[in-house]
Structure formats: C-alpha cells, structure tokens
Amino acid sequence: MMMPAGVSLWAEIPVALLLVLSGLFTLTAAIGVVRFKTFFQRMHPPALAFSFSAWCVTLASIIYFSAQDERLSLHAWLIIIFLALTVPVTTILLARTELFRRRNGHPGTDDIPPSITQVKPPPARATDDATPETR
C-alpha cells in the first residue's frame, strides 16, 4: 500500500494557525463558562466561541485535504452547515427551558421578564395632527 505524500509547508502553516486559533476560542469559551454567574450569561460563550472554533477547524480541514489530494475538497462544509443550523436552535431551546423553569418557581427567580401574553400594550397616544393650541 502506498503512503500519501506529505503536505507542503504553504498548507501546513495556515492549518496550524487555524487549529491554534480554534483552541484559543475554545479556551475563551471555557473561561467564560467558569467566570459568568448566571445561566443566561453562561450560554453565550460556548455558543459563540465554539461556533468560531468549528469554523476554524473546518477551514483547516478544507485547506489540509485540498492540499493533500491536490484538488478542492469541500466535504467538511457539511459539518459547519449542520452546526450553523443546530447551535442557534439549541441555544434558544436551552434559554426557553430555563425561562420556563424560573417562571414556575424554581430557584433563581429574582429577575424574570414577564411572559408576552402578560404584557399590557402601551396606552394609545394622541395623534400628531392636532394643532399646538389643542395640546
């Protein structure tokens, strides 16, 4: 069986930089999860940083496999497309679940925004067509 030839230096450098950048994004997300105090604050670092991290790994994979096969290799785009679709949906579902739990009396219910069905519409304002004497 023949071993594939090595990848050239022009491809290894951006791949290495993208993978290091991916690790830095992941480390930033971990620090954010540890430092923030509330659930809603802790949701954002993983969602954003892991998405950026996944983009870096995907781009590194595309560069590496394109250089190795000596043709454009875009199969890694499927990973980032699925992540781009699922990460926001998962984040919204987690936020709604926590909001539901807080509205039903679970601990940490100090600052809960009211439900949309409980918000009263603002009172009707006078129209601006009136003359200054009638105001």
Side-chain angles (χ1 to χ4, degrees):
M1 182 168 196
M2 183 139 182
M3 296 296 288
V7 178
S8 63
L9 186 63
W10 70 266
E12 287 181 352
I13 291 174
V15 167
L17 291 175
L18 284 168
L19 291 176
V20 168
L21 187 62
S22 171
L24 290 175
F25 281 133
T26 304
L27 181 64
T28 303
I31 291 170
V33 168
V34 171
R35 289 199 62 182
F36 290 135
K37 297 188 182 350
T38 67
F39 176 80
F40 291 110
Q41 290 174 340
R42 288 181 177 172
M43 282 178 38
H44 295 287
L48 294 175
F50 289 151
S51 295
F52 292 145
S53 178
W55 272 101
C56 289
V57 170
T58 302
L59 291 174
S61 174
I62 289 171
I63 293 170
Y64 181 81
F65 288 113
S66 294
Q68 184 180 21
D69 297 341
E70 296 178 355
R71 63 183 173 89
L72 188 59
S73 178
L74 295 177
H75 62 275
W77 278 112
L78 290 175
I79 297 168
I80 203 62
I81 288 171
F82 290 136
L83 282 175
L85 293 174
T86 58
V87 167
V89 172
T90 305
T91 303
I92 289 170
L93 289 175
L94 287 171
R96 289 181 58 103
T97 302
E98 180 65 16
L99 193 58
F100 177 78
R101 289 183 68 224
R102 288 185 181 193
R103 284 185 181 148
N104 286 331
H106 286 62
T109 60
D110 301 336
D111 54 348
I112 306 168
S115 173
I116 293 176
T117 58
Q118 297 173 350
V119 176
K120 294 180 183 176
R125 294 179 38 194
T127 61
D128 291 335
D129 298 337
T131 59
E133 297 84 24
T134 58
R135 286 188 198 170

